Amino acid sequence: MEMTTEELAPGVAVLRCTGRLNMVAAKQFRSHIDETVRGGHRKVAVDLGGVSFIDSSGLGALVGGLKSARQAGGDLRIAAAGDQVRSVLELTNLARVLRPHDSVESATDGW
Amino acid sequence: MAGERSYAVEQVAAPESIDSLHDLLARVARENPEVPRDDLSMMETAVIEIAGNLVEHGRPPGEVTYRFDLTLHADRLEGVLADSGEELPGGLTDLVEVDVMSESGRGLFLADAVLDTLVYRRTDAANIWSMTRRYR
């Protein structure tokens, strides 16, 4: 999985991911979010447009990232999730806390 | 669909085996464009969870092997994963949904949720995970 971070505004970053967010990639993904938050970007939008697959480890990493961001006084939102990602978010009821936004623009609206 | 088609992969329960499973499912999709993508994707979700569980918790660690067989029927997908690990304590009886803010513990719950049926049974030397996903 490949990840890049871009600052959208002071304190706001978008994390773009490409590949499969599974148990092989989850730890690195979680570290990347934590580093982003520690680096002063308390509001993180995760662009999942390039993520073809997510498993429970990836879901756990997203929840962990959400907690990190909230503990720092910010938030984490997800954008551009594909069909498989949306399905597992719904089936695990995680869509309640990680509501999928259609685009990074809508995810970061109000930030 | 003309007749049934079957695919299989056999490997050690190591992290790399997860990629092999993804590759197998990608091959199935390429070779069988008539199989609904969403259903194949949900079968993929289930088998990755069960194999991932083995990679993380299979005992003895590093020694567990497994075989995954996938059969394409006219109306459904059937997957069977057989692993050499020790018996799953408590079987599949406690598939409870974890707290929404939990960072782990939703793997088998998710596998069950994406399937029509998930059945676990123990034979003399193996754990057998039978998965069915009917085409929507």
Side-chain angles (χ1 to χ4, degrees), chain A residues 20 22-24 30 53-57 59-61 63-64 66-67 70 83-84 87-88 91-94 96-97, chain B residues 15 18-19 22-23 26 38 41-42 44-45 48-49 52 55-56 97 100-104 106-107 109-110 113-114:
Chain A
R20 296 169 183 142
N22 59 20
M23 66 180 297
V24 181
R30 172 72 198 278
F53 185 92
I54 192 167
D55 72 357
S56 61
S57 310
L59 294 174
V63 171
L66 175 65
K67 285 188 197 170
R70 286 185 177 171
D83 290 344
Q84 190 267 351
S87 292
V88 300
L91 288 166
T92 54
N93 286 322
L94 276 174
R96 284 189 288 157
V97 289
Chain B
I18 299 297
D19 284 333
H22 284 299
D23 292 344
D38 287 351
S41 170
M42 291 299 103
E44 181 174 14
T45 303
I48 294 293
E49 290 301 336
V55 171
E56 280 200 59
E97 190 175 353
V100 76
M101 292 305 279
S102 172
E103 292 177 48
S104 62
R106 49 172 74 81
F109 174 85
L110 176 58
V114 296

Side-chain angles (χ1 to χ4, degrees), chain A residues 9-103:
Chain A
V12 181
V14 57
L15 175 55
R16 293 197 167 83
C17 315
T18 310
R20 296 169 183 142
L21 185 38
N22 59 20
M23 66 180 297
V24 181
K27 258 189 200 137
Q28 184 200 357
F29 175 71
R30 172 72 198 278
S31 303
H32 203 97
I33 295 175
D34 286 352
E35 282 166 25
T36 303
V37 172
R38 274 201 305 273
H41 301 95
R42 294 176 298 148
K43 295 175 177 173
V44 182
V46 181
D47 183 350
L48 296 168
V51 172
S52 56
F53 185 92
I54 192 167
D55 72 357
S56 61
S57 310
L59 294 174
L62 277 174
V63 171
L66 175 65
K67 285 188 197 170
S68 297
R70 286 185 177 171
Q71 277 160 13
D75 202 2
L76 180 144
R77 297 177 185 168
I78 58 171
D83 290 344
Q84 190 267 351
V85 178
R86 280 178 180 262
S87 292
V88 300
L89 284 168
E90 293 290 339
L91 288 166
T92 54
N93 286 322
L94 276 174
R96 284 189 288 157
V97 289
L98 287 164
R99 187 163 66 85
H101 294 266
D102 290 338
S103 64

